[in-house]
Amino acid sequence: MSFFFVSTICLQVIFTVMWNYVFVSGIVLLVSLLYHYNVARPSSIIEYPEDRYDYIVVGAGTAGCVIASRLSELPNKSVLLIEAGGYFNWLSTIPLAAPLMQGTAVDWAYKTETQYYAARGFVKHQASWPRGKGLGGSGQMNFLVHSFGKPEDYKQWPTGWSYHNLAPYFDKVSRIMGVPGISVEGDLAKLFTGLDTSQFYGDVTIEKAENTIKRGKRFSTYHAYLQPAWNRKNLHILSDTLVAKILFDDDKKIVDGIKAKFRDGSLGRIAANDEVILCAGAVNTPHLMMVSGVGPFEELRQNRIPVIKNLSEVGKNLFDHLNVPMYVSLEAPVSITLRKMQTLAEIMKYFVFESGILATNGVIGTASRGNSGFVLFGVGSQDEKLLNVSNYETEVFRSVFPSYNNSAQEGVLILATCLQPQSRGNITLNTYTILDPPRIDPAYLENSEDVRCTQDAITLALDIIETADFQKLGPKVHTPDIEDCQHLPQTYRNEHYSECIMRYSAVTAYHPGGSCRMGDDREAVVDRRLRVNGIKKLRIVDGSILPTPISGTPNSVIIAIAERAADVILNIPSKQ
């Protein structure tokens, strides 16, 4: 029997087995999909709402999922959760696929106003501002990094909202969200988290990154809170529905309900017996407030919106972390690369064993000194597809990310930032209608203190890279060759060069907040119970109420705020 004949028989057998496997797998997948969309369809997902509910929760993002779940625990209270988007696709469950959600149907895909002090390397000097649109909100497209910040972050917060007050809620959130999650393991993580901090000037903290990844998949409040609740009879979830306006009684002091635009384009009114709770986020909550007539008098007047309540701070106090991306190539094969991600072995690890590179978010750890810090992202190669969603000018993108065309390049990406930025921007209106996006001006680097603070973060990163231990990896810090910075010494140690690169390449950390500030003062938008000042039956629970930034990622803090807010609404005593 010839070798060719044997080979042919073997190939036929292999193809037959493969075809049978594919056929059976296809049948299983089809049955699973049919079950998911028919038998397993949650009873809470509705097509048409009732005329009236006790609570209407606007926005099914990080906070909205928590609030809807907690309020619906009371069987005698009806709850409607309204979300402008629908479901995120299966790709969103893969932690490392987070950037692929940007610019799609599940992203509001906002852009900032033209920036004067920053974003000079971006098209029209406008930075992209991704915001999640769909069940789970931005929690379904973020990088899942967990943090509660520092105790001193909360010193300016109102009575009852100190770090000590929130500590019991932090503990609860950590349990429910499965913190610390699945970490990136390997030589790079061991080296970084094992560095001796006593060798650095000042009080340096290096920590292994924690996250909310569970069994290799994204775990957001959509999974932890909404899904366990979405077969309750008293909870209705209305997706693909845009809340167009908040409605008030004749005296314009009490909220009646909301006006909604349904998926078929029709408009309808839904009444609220107890409260309307805004959980639409740092951009959409102030936007909805203003188009409904609650906001700065001049802003409303200029857009011909009848004034319900003159609240001058609506849309003000906007802040965000701004990251300076620093690329460091490595000689040692210790990082995540696109080529490694795409190997059959890694794909099998993930889909069969829920492990491997794809089961992580790629974040190794964080380092901080004072109010300056950075995130160490252990991915050595960046895909040029990110250019389309980042809004970078092509030449600037390629200069900042030199491995864009090398899928096998070993390296790390350092995201240096000022943890407590002083610059404050605002959300204002384009027009009088919710259908037109608002104007977003984060005023990046407007305050010169933010430049100095970010430079300290860059210096800390360089100090760590230059340690004897890190040098074993063969690191080489890449200095972007940007035309307007070429006349300066090409080193991050030079403050003029680092400032130039900062103003050209720094990008949002996706941490907006503060645009409907909570406070005890008269100018605050909401009081310590998160009630909108001067308006009855209207409350805000989302990142817009943060008085000051969190020294880290704010997502877990927002979950804790929502937990405490639910206790406040339900008059449950504090958990202290």
Side-chain angles (χ1 to χ4, degrees):
M1 188 177 293
S2 69
F3 174 77
F4 175 78
F5 182 74
V6 172
S7 299
T8 303
I9 295 296
C10 288
L11 284 172
Q12 288 177 343
V13 171
I14 291 170
F15 283 138
T16 301
V17 171
M18 286 182 64
W19 168 250
N20 288 336
Y21 174 77
V22 170
F23 179 75
V24 172
S25 298
I27 294 296
V28 171
L29 178 61
L30 180 61
V31 171
S32 297
L33 289 173
L34 290 172
Y35 176 80
H36 176 75
Y37 287 107
N38 293 285
V39 180
R41 182 180 174 85
S43 60
S44 290
I45 304 290
I46 59 170
E47 295 291 329
Y48 302 100
E50 304 289 340
D51 293 332
R52 180 178 295 273
Y53 293 85
D54 292 316
Y55 293 104
I56 296 177
V57 181
V58 180
T62 295
C65 289
V66 177
I67 291 295
S69 176
R70 287 293 316 282
L71 296 184
S72 63
E73 289 174 356
L74 294 180
N76 62 329
K77 291 290 184 180
S78 58
V79 180
L80 174 64
L81 177 62
I82 304 183
E83 169 55 42
Y87 290 99
F88 279 68
N89 61 41
W90 68 270
L91 191 61
S92 69
T93 64
I94 303 175
L96 270 178
L100 301 180
M101 298 298 103
Q102 296 181 24
T104 69
V106 294
D107 180 11
W108 287 93
Y110 291 125
K111 282 185 172 57
T112 68
E113 294 294 287
T114 296
Q115 296 297 285
Y116 182 78
Y117 297 98
R120 293 175 182 174
F122 294 73
V123 177
K124 298 181 180 179
H125 295 189
Q126 294 176 302
S128 292
W129 258 41
R131 295 283 86 199
K133 183 180 183 181
L135 298 176
S138 296
Q140 285 292 92
M141 60 186 294
N142 63 8
F143 282 89
L144 301 163
V145 180
H146 162 80
S147 172
F148 290 130
K150 304 175 182 178
E152 51 267 34
D153 293 344
Y154 303 81
K155 285 186 177 179
Q156 298 179 43
W157 290 31
T159 305
W161 292 91
S162 68
Y163 189 91
H164 173 69
N165 296 139
L166 286 169
Y169 296 97
F170 292 160
D171 292 340
K172 181 178 181 181
V173 169
S174 295
R175 290 194 307 272
I176 291 176
M177 299 304 297
V179 174
I182 298 177
S183 302
V184 178
E185 304 295 344
D187 293 340
L188 179 59
K190 290 177 183 177
L191 186 152
F192 180 71
T193 56
L195 287 173
D196 178 12
T197 57
S198 65
Q199 64 186 303
F200 304 112
Y201 170 77
D203 186 13
V204 174
T205 300
I206 295 176
E207 296 179 318
K208 188 175 185 178
E210 295 183 328
N211 56 61
T212 56
I213 299 173
K214 200 168 186 178
R215 293 190 296 275
K217 295 182 176 62
R218 173 179 297 277
F219 195 64
S220 70
T221 57
Y222 168 74
H223 308 97
Y225 286 87
L226 189 60
Q227 285 188 342
W230 68 7
N231 280 313
R232 293 174 185 164
K233 294 181 179 179
N234 62 323
L235 173 63
H236 282 177
I237 302 168
L238 192 60
S239 62
D240 298 302
T241 301
L242 181 68
V243 176
K245 192 171 289 188
I246 304 165
L247 302 177
F248 299 85
D249 70 351
D250 294 337
D251 293 333
K252 300 181 179 180
K253 293 181 179 180
I254 303 175
V255 167
D256 265 351
I258 56 97
K259 182 179 181 181
K261 182 179 180 182
F262 303 113
R263 67 180 66 189
D264 62 1
S266 64
L267 297 173
R269 300 164 66 97
I270 309 171
N273 294 327
D274 293 347
E275 286 185 356
V276 169
I277 304 167
L278 304 184
C279 302
V283 175
N284 292 335
T285 284
H287 187 204
L288 178 58
M289 292 266 284
M290 287 186 282
V291 298
S292 301
V294 181
F297 178 83
E298 282 301 314
E299 185 70 19
L300 303 181
R301 184 183 65 83
Q302 289 174 8
N303 288 278
R304 304 187 306 278
I305 298 173
V307 178
I308 299 294
K309 178 66 178 179
N310 176 21
L311 283 180
S312 62
E313 288 296 299
V314 172
K316 305 293 178 59
N317 190 51
L318 179 68
F319 49 74
D320 183 26
H321 290 135
L322 188 66
N323 289 337
V324 176
M326 301 170 62
Y327 184 77
V328 183
S329 63
L330 300 176
E331 293 178 1
V334 294
S335 65
I336 298 171
T337 68
L338 287 176
R339 183 169 295 180
K340 290 177 185 176
M341 281 188 242
Q342 295 166 354
T343 62
L344 181 60
E346 284 299 330
I347 294 172
M348 289 294 289
K349 275 185 192 176
Y350 183 73
F351 286 102
V352 178
F353 302 107
E354 299 177 334
S355 64
I357 292 172
L358 294 173
T360 74
N361 58 3
V363 179
I364 302 294
T366 62
S368 64
R369 180 163 55 195
N371 285 330
S372 304
F374 68 82
V375 173
L376 183 66
F377 196 53
V379 177
S381 47
Q382 286 75 43
D383 196 320
E384 197 169 19
K385 292 186 181 70
L386 296 179
L387 173 64
N388 298 325
V389 297
S390 65
N391 208 42
Y392 272 113
E393 294 277 6
T394 302
E395 290 184 4
V396 174
F397 178 87
R398 291 178 176 178
S399 180
V400 173
F401 303 100
S403 65
Y404 71 90
N405 62 350
N406 185 354
S407 62
Q409 177 64 55
E410 295 282 345
V412 295
L413 186 63
I414 289 173
L415 302 174
T417 190
C418 181
L419 300 173
Q420 286 293 319
Q422 300 301 304
S423 300
R424 294 293 184 268
N426 56 70
I427 305 286
T428 53
L429 296 174
N430 259 313
T431 68
Y432 65 91
T433 172
I434 197 72
L435 299 178
D436 295 323
R439 298 179 185 273
I440 302 170
D441 182 9
Y444 287 134
L445 303 179
E446 185 175 270
N447 190 312
S448 60
E449 174 59 22
D450 293 350
V451 176
R452 187 204 62 77
C453 177
T454 308
Q455 286 174 329
D456 287 348
I458 292 172
T459 299
L460 174 60
L462 296 175
D463 289 346
I464 287 178
I465 292 168
E466 292 169 4
T467 60
D469 285 339
F470 212 99
Q471 286 295 306
K472 295 175 183 177
L473 303 178
K476 183 179 180 181
V477 178
H478 170 71
T479 51
D481 183 25
I482 294 176
E483 184 176 353
D484 284 355
C485 308
Q486 287 176 349
H487 66 287
L488 300 167
Q490 302 292 290
T491 171
Y492 279 110
R493 291 285 186 186
N494 181 278
E495 63 180 16
H496 299 295
Y497 176 78
S498 66
E499 179 178 350
C500 186
I501 295 299
M502 186 187 311
R503 295 194 187 279
Y504 267 85
S505 70
V507 65
T508 176
Y510 317 113
H511 302 161
S515 51
C516 288
R517 177 178 62 87
M518 168 178 58
D520 289 327
D521 57 295
R522 290 184 177 180
E523 287 73 32
V525 177
V526 297
D527 63 15
R528 70 181 68 170
R529 294 179 65 84
L530 308 187
R531 299 170 298 193
V532 174
N533 283 317
I535 303 287
K536 293 182 179 180
K537 294 173 54 177
L538 182 62
R539 209 179 297 249
I540 301 176
V541 185
D542 58 31
S544 71
I545 65 99
L546 301 179
T548 56
I550 301 299
S551 296
T553 53
N555 194 70
S556 292
V557 176
I558 293 170
I559 301 173
I561 287 172
E563 277 280 10
R564 189 178 188 282
D567 282 355
V568 169
I569 296 168
L570 298 174
N571 291 313
I572 297 174
S574 174
K575 297 182 183 301
Q576 295 181 63

